[in-house]
Amino acid sequence: MDQIKIGKFIAECRKKNGLTQAQLAEKLNITDRAISKWENGKSMPDSSIMLDLCNELKISVNELLSGEVIKMDNYNEKLEQNLIDMVKQKEESDKKMLKLEVVIGYISSITFLILIFLASFVEMQNWIRISLVVLGSITFAIGMFNCLKIEQTAGYYECDKCHYKYVPEYSSVFLAMHKGRTRYMKCPKCNEKSWQKKVIGK
Ligand SMILES: [Zn+2]
């Protein structure tokens, strides 16, 4: 998807409908800065707002994502390309999130170890010692919560028995035994327990 082209197309349609950025923003209940960001190709309209935006601009979502008016004879072709691009974008952002998970994991673990090390071996008043342990534990807990949240939502888990791919509940990811990212969970489709691998594509 070409963000710059989409941005120019939004601006073009907005003007065609005789709207200023501020007027369009008001209709959509958002800031005019958001609109100017779209039009400059710096960001894409959120999926939650796409339909309303397209209604105001009198275009289809397919046209919005293509960044141009689409003739009827290649409408489906464009639609398919846009769907493929959306899936690709999700896969790329999932991959980035999983890398981020590793970084968060390391940072929170190392912070935890350093604070516990200081609290154990460095001369200090007791209340500081206790504060360091508490701070270390909180950092670690927040880090782990976010890591698990990423692991739950980025990509899918694949059942080893029936190969069904799905996004599990936070609680089942939290409670499951794991080897790295592979988790021992119950499949919602075949109801069998197996070691399920994290996969990116569906
Ligand atoms: Zn299964």
Side-chain angles (χ1 to χ4, degrees), residues 20-101:
T20 63
Q21 287 190 345
Q23 283 167 332
L24 180 59
E26 205 192 316
K27 281 177 187 280
L28 296 171
N29 242 330
I30 53 171
T31 62
D32 40 352
R33 256 198 74 207
I35 304 220
S36 127
K37 272 189 173 173
W38 301 339
E39 294 188 354
N40 291 320
K42 288 196 182 113
S43 72
M44 279 280 289
D46 219 47
S47 57
S48 60
I49 212 166
M50 263 183 203
L51 270 183
D52 288 339
L53 173 66
C54 289
N55 277 336
E56 293 301 337
L57 299 181
K58 302 187 179 70
I59 55 176
S60 68
V61 173
N62 194 15
E63 288 175 315
L64 174 74
L65 295 175
S66 305
E68 62 190 10
V69 176
I70 301 169
K71 288 203 195 82
M72 236 26 218
D73 48 355
N74 59 1
Y75 198 87
N76 282 331
E77 201 181 302
K78 285 274 183 191
L79 188 60
E80 275 164 25
Q81 191 54 48
N82 282 329
L83 285 174
I84 291 168
D85 286 352
M86 298 258 269
V87 171
K88 253 191 228 157
Q89 265 186 359
K90 176 175 164 18
E91 287 181 6
E92 267 157 35
S93 99
D94 282 351
K95 274 186 206 157
K96 272 189 207 144
M97 288 309 279
L98 288 172
K99 277 186 195 149
L100 180 67
E101 182 200 357

Side-chain angles (χ1 to χ4, degrees), residues 98 101 148 151 156-160 166 172-173 175-185 194-199:
L98 288 172
E101 182 200 357
L148 271 183
E151 215 170 291
Y156 310 90
Y157 278 97
E158 180 174 1
C159 168
D160 198 37
Y166 70 106
S172 28
V173 174
L175 295 171
M177 286 190 289
H178 66 108
K179 305 182 213 162
R181 276 189 185 133
T182 303
R183 288 177 184 268
Y184 191 70
M185 293 189 292
S194 64
W195 285 99
Q196 304 179 353
K197 277 200 190 112
K198 168 66 62 185
V199 290

Side-chain angles (χ1 to χ4, degrees), residues 112-126:
F112 175 71
L113 289 176
I114 290 173
L115 292 178
I116 298 300
F117 178 84
L118 289 175
S120 315
F121 299 109
V122 178
E123 200 65 41
M124 63 180 78
Q125 285 179 315
N126 259 336

Side-chain angles (χ1 to χ4, degrees), residues 129 136 169 176:
R129 205 184 296 283
E169 302 274 316

